[in-house]
């Protein structure tokens, strides 16, 4: 009997035609979430684009569900964690819409600079308003690209062909990689203050949400133009509207919105805004590429047991292995710590696994570490399957070594990251009770569990510093759950790591920096 596929939204006919010989396909493009929930138990595979949300409720109701497929890149409309718990692979098709999204970005930039939509409407209404639509040339202008992944790089190449100066911001890209695309790598502050046009090509994460905000707009070049073809939520839409009304922003173009369909019609209808209904991947060619790629992946799964393009496959293999799982979690958390305290662009990573046990799992430990390091900085969504590949594409050099057991710990994982401005080594182990410990950060020994929230600070070793810090935390009702102290010598530099029950927000950091002995301080979140 053929396996059954449910497709509950509009999708390319190429995909249906390519799969119809091998599967029983039920194409229901108008299905509601309630209707999906009622029938999902009858299907082995579900295929969606971006509209349909595959929730944990739907996944848990899918008693026969074996595979969840996203015909596109992002999987934010699929509860991947719930699928992983059920042992269901989640498959996507990264790269299929790169050219389509790139060309749509350029179409919006040109439309914005030459007022094409507005002039078209004016002429069709019987008017001849040439002077009203005086445009702006791209030649000689500076375009700032936030995010230099596949789409950002393709935009850079096309911008260069228009004679533009191209600058880019991406913490994962090395200067050598940026040079290949003739992009001047710079920090975020320089990009937003120097660009005539800013275009975004990054994923939506806690770190990138509202990356263009009211405070950012105050630092922008007067008359800047902003384009968002990436993800809704990267731009504070109200702040952009205020910037358009004040004249700080001369134009904006949107293909994606915080809420879709958008309800902020004041922004959509603004005379200086060009808006399209999430068309970045909507080309015949892109949909055909995605259809071909997804067909090949599904058939490889069916006939050869291969899990290509899966965002949770390796995780599925090891997630229930009680011996390996704690080390994967440790490696990922060390990567998260590195990502949140290091400054500059990542250049090189060196991973050391001490002991014979870890040598067997070096590849997946490497994948787990890189997932933690780059998961909030890269697109598509980073997981154990694609973290190594994405890191490589970003030009991040990764070296790994298997070494004899450490003198103190029989199994030890150590990671060193070199940026263009600093380097830092963090080590950790898993104890017999499966509790993880960070054993060293740089030259400082520690014994702290990497869980919840961490407050890490460096200070001059003097009596009373901890009590001052504790007092500040208490004043903000932040509870201390754990503590590790280390120093280089009496009266010299010291490091303190504190587990806190609550996140230490920036306003608390600002207050703590008033403690004169503290030199640097970091708030680290693992969620």
């Amino acid at each position: 009997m053929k396996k059954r596929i449910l497709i509950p939204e509009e999708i390319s006919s190429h995909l249906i035609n390519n799969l119809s010989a091998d599967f029983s396909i039920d194409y229901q493009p108008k299905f509601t979430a309630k209707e999906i929930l009622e029938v999902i138990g009858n299907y082995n595979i579900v295929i969606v684009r971006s509209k349909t949300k595959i929730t944990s409720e739907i996944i848990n109701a899918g008693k026969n569900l074996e595979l969840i497929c996203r015909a596109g890149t992002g999987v934010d409309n699929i509860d991947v964690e719930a699928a992983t718990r059920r042992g269901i692979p989640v498959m996507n098709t990264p790269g299929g819409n790169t050219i389509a999204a790139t060309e749509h970005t350029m179409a919006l930039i040109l439309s914005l600079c030459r007022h094409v939509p507005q002039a078209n409407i004016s002429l069709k209404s019987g008017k001849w308003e040439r002077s009203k639509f005086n445009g702006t040339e791209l030649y000689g202008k500076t375009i700032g690209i936030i995010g230099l992944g596949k789409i950002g790089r393709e935009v850079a190449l096309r911008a260069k062909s228009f004679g533009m100066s191209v600058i880019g911001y991406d913490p994962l890209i090395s200067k050598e990689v940026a040079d290949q695309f003739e992009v001047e790598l710079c920090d975020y502050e320089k990009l937003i203050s120097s660009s005539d046009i800013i275009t975004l090509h990054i994923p939506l994460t806690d770190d990138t949400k509202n990356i263009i905000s009211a405070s950012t707009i105050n630092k922008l070049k007067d008359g800047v133009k902003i384009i968002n073809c990436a993800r809704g939520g990267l731009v504070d839409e109200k702040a952009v509207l205020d910037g358009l009304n004040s004249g700080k922003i001369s134009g904006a173009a949107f293909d994606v919105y915080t809420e879709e369909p958008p309800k902020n019609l004041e922004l959509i209808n603004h005379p200086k805004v060009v808006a399209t209904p999430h068309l970045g991947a909507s080309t015949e060619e892109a949909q055909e590429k995605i259809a071909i790629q997804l067909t090949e992946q599904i058939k490889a799964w069916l006939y050869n047991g291969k899990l290509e393009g899966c965002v949770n496959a390796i995780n599925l293999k090891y997630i229930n292995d009680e011996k390996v799982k704690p080390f994967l979690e440790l490696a990922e958390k060390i990567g998260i710590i590195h990502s949140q305290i290091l400054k500059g662009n990542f250049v090189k990573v060196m991973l050391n696994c001490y002991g014979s046990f870890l040598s067997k799992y070096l590849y997946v430990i490497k994948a787990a570490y890189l997932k933690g390091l780059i998961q909030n900085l890269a697109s598509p969504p980073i997981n154990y399957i694609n973290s190594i590949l994405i890191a490589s594409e970003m030009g991040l050099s990764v070296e790994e070594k298997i070494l004899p057991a450490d003198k103190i710990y029989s199994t030890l994982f150590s990671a060193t990251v070199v940026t263009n401005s600093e380097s830092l080594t963090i080590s950790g182990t898993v104890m017999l009770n499966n509790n993880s410990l960070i054993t060293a950060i740089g030259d400082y020994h520690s014994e702290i569990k990497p869980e919840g929230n961490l407050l890490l600070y460096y200070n001059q070793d003097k009596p009373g510093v901890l009590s001052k810090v504790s007092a500040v935390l208490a004043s903000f009702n932040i509870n201390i759950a754990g503590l590790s102290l280390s120093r280089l010598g009496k009266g010299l530099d010291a490091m303190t790591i504190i587990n806190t029950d609550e996140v230490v927000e920036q306003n608390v950091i600002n207050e703590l920096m008033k403690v004169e002995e503290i030199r640097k301080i970091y708030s680290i979140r693992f969620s």
Side-chain angles (χ1 to χ4, degrees):
M1 183 180 293
K2 291 182 179 179
K3 291 187 181 293
R4 299 187 65 187
I5 297 178
L6 174 65
I7 304 177
E9 65 177 291
E10 291 186 4
I11 208 158
S12 168
S13 60
H14 297 293
L15 183 64
I16 297 173
N17 294 336
N18 291 344
L19 291 171
S20 58
D22 300 273
F23 299 89
S24 173
I25 299 175
D26 192 358
Y27 182 47
Q28 299 288 349
K30 294 184 179 181
F31 256 20
T32 65
K34 182 180 178 182
E35 288 172 316
I36 296 172
L37 188 61
E38 290 173 350
V39 303
I40 192 65
N42 300 322
Y43 296 92
N44 309 105
I45 303 170
V46 60
I47 301 175
V48 298
R49 291 182 68 192
S50 58
K51 180 181 177 182
T52 303
K53 294 187 183 300
I54 302 299
T55 62
S56 59
E57 187 179 13
I58 289 173
I59 291 168
N60 291 331
K63 60 182 180 181
N64 295 309
L65 205 54
E66 299 176 62
L67 187 64
I68 299 170
C69 300
R70 162 75 163 95
T73 300
V75 291
D76 45 315
N77 58 320
I78 299 171
D79 192 328
V80 177
E81 184 179 349
T84 301
R85 284 196 299 269
R86 281 282 317 279
I88 303 170
V90 177
M91 184 180 287
N92 69 345
T93 54
N97 64 348
T98 297
I99 298 302
T102 298
E103 291 183 355
H104 195 66
T105 299
M106 297 307 299
L108 289 183
I109 291 173
L110 289 165
S111 295
L112 197 59
C113 289
R114 299 306 298 267
H115 311 295
V116 173
Q118 298 92 331
N120 176 61
I121 293 171
S122 172
L123 184 59
K124 287 186 175 182
S125 67
K127 300 176 183 177
W128 187 260
E129 300 178 298
R130 292 181 67 194
S131 60
K132 181 178 179 180
F133 301 114
N134 196 33
T136 302
E137 294 182 1
L138 297 184
Y139 182 82
K141 301 297 191 299
T142 297
I143 183 170
I145 303 175
I146 300 177
L148 292 169
K150 291 181 180 179
I151 297 172
R153 296 179 193 186
E154 293 292 340
V155 170
L157 291 173
R158 285 153 182 77
K160 293 294 291 187
S161 72
F162 280 90
M164 302 186 77
S165 297
V166 183
I167 60 176
Y169 166 72
D170 192 320
L172 293 177
I173 294 292
S174 66
K175 183 179 183 301
E176 289 72 22
V177 171
D179 287 345
Q180 294 176 18
F181 294 86
E182 299 183 37
V183 177
E184 178 191 341
L185 203 60
C186 65
D187 61 28
Y188 181 70
E189 294 296 324
K190 179 178 178 181
L191 185 141
I192 62 174
S193 63
S194 304
S195 300
D196 300 298
I197 296 172
I198 295 175
T199 179
L200 298 102
H201 301 285
I202 52 177
L204 178 65
T205 68
D206 289 341
D207 292 328
T208 62
K209 184 178 180 181
N210 289 339
I211 193 169
I212 300 295
S213 62
S215 60
T216 305
I217 289 171
N218 291 332
K219 303 174 185 177
L220 298 177
K221 197 172 182 179
D222 289 342
V224 69
K225 293 177 173 62
I226 296 173
I227 294 88
N228 185 13
C229 279
R231 286 286 185 269
L234 295 175
V235 173
D236 183 333
E237 294 172 359
K238 182 181 183 304
V240 170
L241 181 61
D242 292 341
L244 289 164
N245 289 331
S246 71
K248 181 71 173 180
I249 301 172
S250 65
F254 291 90
D255 185 50
V256 291
Y257 309 90
T258 303
E259 187 176 18
E260 295 185 359
K263 294 183 179 179
N264 187 356
L265 298 182
E266 187 178 1
L267 176 69
I268 302 301
N269 293 326
H270 196 284
K272 295 180 182 179
V273 169
V274 175
T276 53
H278 204 149
L279 300 179
S282 298
T283 66
E284 281 292 325
E285 294 84 354
Q287 293 309 307
E288 185 172 359
K289 289 176 190 175
I290 289 170
I292 292 171
Q293 183 179 347
L294 188 55
T295 299
E296 291 175 350
Q297 290 177 190
I298 292 175
K299 288 184 178 181
W301 166 79
L302 177 67
Y303 294 114
N304 301 314
K306 292 184 179 180
L307 287 170
E308 299 172 355
C310 280
V311 301
N312 60 346
I314 289 182
N315 196 22
L316 289 172
K317 184 176 181 180
Y318 291 103
I319 194 168
N320 294 318
D321 188 325
E322 294 303 322
K323 294 181 180 179
V324 182
K325 181 181 176 182
F327 283 97
L328 300 185
E329 294 175 347
L330 170 69
E332 183 174 341
K333 287 179 177 180
I334 289 177
I336 290 172
I337 296 173
H338 266 137
S339 72
Q340 295 188 29
I341 66 178
L342 282 176
K343 304 298 181 184
N345 296 88
F346 299 152
V347 175
K348 185 177 183 180
V349 172
M350 293 171 283
L351 307 178
N352 291 332
C353 287
Y354 297 83
S356 59
F357 173 76
L358 293 186
S359 66
K360 304 173 187 176
Y361 306 101
L362 176 59
Y363 184 86
V364 70
I365 290 172
K366 173 183 174 181
Y369 171 79
L370 290 173
K371 177 180 183 291
L373 182 68
I374 67 176
Q375 64 186 352
N376 287 328
L377 303 172
S379 181
I382 305 302
N383 52 72
Y384 290 175
I385 285 292
N386 65 6
S387 59
I388 294 175
L389 174 62
I390 297 299
S392 175
E393 289 181 348
M394 296 300 172
L396 185 59
S397 171
V398 181
E399 298 177 2
E400 59 270 0
K401 290 182 181 180
I402 300 295
L403 298 169
D406 180 71
K407 293 180 180 179
I408 301 176
Y409 304 102
S410 60
T411 53
L412 185 75
F413 174 73
S414 175
T416 301
V417 176
V418 179
T419 75
N420 57 358
S421 60
E422 60 181 325
S423 66
L424 180 66
T425 300
I426 302 177
S427 303
T429 191
V430 175
M431 309 302 285
L432 292 176
N433 58 4
N434 277 345
N435 282 336
S436 298
L437 282 182
I438 300 299
T439 59
I441 296 180
D443 296 328
Y444 298 91
H445 173 74
S446 74
E447 289 187 358
I448 197 79
K449 293 180 181 179
E451 58 187 30
N453 309 285
L454 296 183
L455 178 69
L456 185 155
Y457 62 88
Y458 297 95
N459 62 280
Q460 185 180 1
D461 180 43
K462 284 186 176 181
V465 176
L466 181 59
S467 63
K468 294 178 184 178
V469 171
S470 300
V472 172
L473 295 178
S475 70
F476 285 92
N477 200 31
I478 294 175
N479 193 46
I480 294 176
L483 179 70
S484 177
L485 299 169
S486 180
R487 64 181 184 177
L488 300 181
K490 184 178 179 180
L492 302 178
D493 286 345
M495 180 191 74
T496 302
I497 310 177
I498 299 174
N499 290 108
T500 62
D501 290 336
E502 295 77 26
V503 174
V504 180
E505 303 286 1
Q506 188 58 48
N507 59 330
V508 184
I509 297 291
N510 294 340
E511 195 66 28
L512 288 168
M513 283 303 297
K514 295 178 182 179
V515 178
E516 60 180 0
E517 292 88 354
I518 292 179
R519 296 188 294 104
K520 295 179 182 179
I521 189 164
Y522 305 96
S523 177
I524 300 164
R525 310 180 188 191
F526 291 113
S527 59

